Amino acid sequence: MLRSLVGSEMCIRDRYQRRVREIGEAMSAPEHDGEPALDAQISRYLRAKDALREKIKTHGSAYFTPKTSMHTGLYNQAATCYMNSLLQSLYFTSEFRSMVFQFRWNQELHPPKHKCIPYQLQHLFARMQLSSRAAVSTKDLTRSFGWEGGQVFVQHDVQELNRVLFEALEMSQMSEFDSVKQLYTGRIMDVIQDVRYPRAGTRSVQTQEFLDLQLDVTPHLSQSFLQYTCTETIEGWDCVVDGERQTVVAEKGFKLSLIHI
């Protein structure tokens, strides 16, 4: 096998050197009827150049870039950078990636392969893991979304896309995806409390579940959480103090009771 590869490489190198000599000879050839030899070389060069431009137009210049790290990127089709960020974060969640790889397409249960979101997501993850290229395309996945033409130029909401993607996985009737939301679901408490009398009667707590949080971008994730959970003062909050309804000064803020990082 190694001998075959070495021989192939030497053959390619010899062919390249011979090609360089041919071009040099053609360029130094004397003029004769408009330099036909040189014209032929230029014509071939222009055809190759046009073919290369078409490849770059179709795949992007990254198509020709070899992978320099163990990770694989995603092409930005138009305005799909938000989607690429979501897909990368899902891919690097090992539990979610394992769920996707366990999916098995069934023609009796699922739509055609080109319209089946779990199937196309699985193939995308496989290419991200096995490709020798620096980046791979997401076109097959967006086609399974039903996106055509200019829809890739529209900046969709990443949180809504995340919910739609999870719902599509749960609708695939595969038991592996039954717990996909549990993997990401957290709980948050909306707390309002009297500043002077922090007792049960002067405290309002509402608990709700979430799949994602909108955090400010800071140098550290912990700082983003601190900003999200910081309190604000409410003037004139109605509550019951010692059996009497009063208007007090209160603090309002969020407290995270369950979160997956």
Side-chain angles (χ1 to χ4, degrees):
M1 180 67 179
L2 180 60
R3 188 181 298 111
S4 176
L5 290 174
V6 172
S8 176
E9 183 177 343
M10 293 178 63
C11 180
I12 293 174
R13 186 173 63 245
D14 292 343
R15 193 186 313 162
Y16 170 77
Q17 292 175 349
R18 185 168 63 254
R19 188 67 175 150
V20 170
R21 287 195 301 269
E22 290 175 355
I23 294 175
E25 292 171 359
M27 294 183 67
S28 59
E31 293 187 8
H32 179 70
D33 296 334
E35 299 183 347
L38 181 57
D39 286 348
Q41 298 293 338
I42 293 175
S43 178
R44 281 194 288 270
Y45 164 76
L46 291 177
R47 287 198 299 271
K49 185 177 179 182
D50 291 340
L52 180 60
R53 282 180 174 173
E54 188 62 31
K55 285 287 185 183
I56 293 176
K57 181 180 177 181
T58 303
H59 301 287
S61 58
Y63 180 83
F64 304 96
T65 305
K67 183 186 288 188
T68 57
S69 71
M70 62 182 295
H71 304 304
T72 302
L74 298 172
Y75 291 125
N76 185 17
Q77 292 189 50
T80 59
C81 52
Y82 69 96
M83 181 190 70
N84 292 353
S85 299
L86 173 62
L87 293 173
Q88 289 282 12
S89 66
L90 294 176
Y91 173 80
F92 281 103
T93 304
S94 58
E95 296 87 349
F96 181 82
R97 187 172 67 246
S98 177
M99 291 179 186
V100 172
F101 282 149
Q102 291 178 42
F103 172 78
R104 294 295 180 267
W105 181 79
N106 186 324
Q107 62 179 355
E108 297 181 357
L109 296 176
H110 305 125
K113 290 182 177 180
H114 68 283
K115 294 183 178 180
C116 183
I117 294 177
Y119 178 86
Q120 294 301 337
L121 183 63
Q122 183 185 74
H123 275 232
L124 176 63
F125 278 9
R127 290 195 297 271
M128 292 171 68
Q129 184 163 315
L130 301 174
S131 177
S132 60
R133 296 292 181 184
V136 295
S137 173
T138 59
K139 287 184 178 180
D140 290 340
L141 179 63
T142 55
R143 287 194 192 101
S144 71
F145 293 166
W147 294 0
E148 297 292 344
Q151 284 186 286
V152 295
F153 291 89
V154 179
Q155 184 80 27
H156 296 272
D157 181 74
V158 67
Q159 293 174 298
E160 181 63 22
L161 176 62
N162 189 34
R163 295 186 184 94
V164 170
L165 186 60
F166 283 178
E167 289 173 1
L169 296 178
E170 291 180 335
M171 292 172 60
S172 65
Q173 302 183 38
M174 297 293 292
S175 59
E176 291 80 9
F177 294 132
D178 290 345
S179 60
V180 64
K181 284 190 176 180
Q182 297 178 11
L183 184 63
Y184 290 94
T185 298
R187 285 193 296 272
I188 192 170
M189 297 187 299
D190 187 356
V191 180
I192 304 177
Q193 183 169 287
D194 184 359
V195 175
R196 300 173 303 165
Y197 306 102
R199 294 176 293 182
T202 62
R203 193 166 185 257
S204 171
V205 179
Q206 293 182 349
T207 303
Q208 56 186 354
E209 294 183 341
F210 66 88
L211 281 175
D212 45 58
L213 295 174
Q214 289 185 333
L215 302 178
D216 293 333
V217 177
T218 64
H220 301 285
L221 182 60
S222 58
Q223 184 178 346
S224 299
F225 278 118
L226 286 174
Q227 290 185 8
Y228 187 83
T229 56
C230 66
T231 60
E232 59 177 322
T233 302
I234 299 178
E235 300 284 350
W237 182 59
D238 291 333
C239 67
V240 178
V241 180
D242 296 331
E244 296 182 2
R245 180 166 295 279
Q246 297 184 16
T247 300
V248 300
V249 177
E251 285 186 342
K252 182 182 185 303
F254 293 113
K255 291 186 177 181
L256 298 170
S257 60
L258 176 64
I259 188 170
H260 303 281
I261 299 180

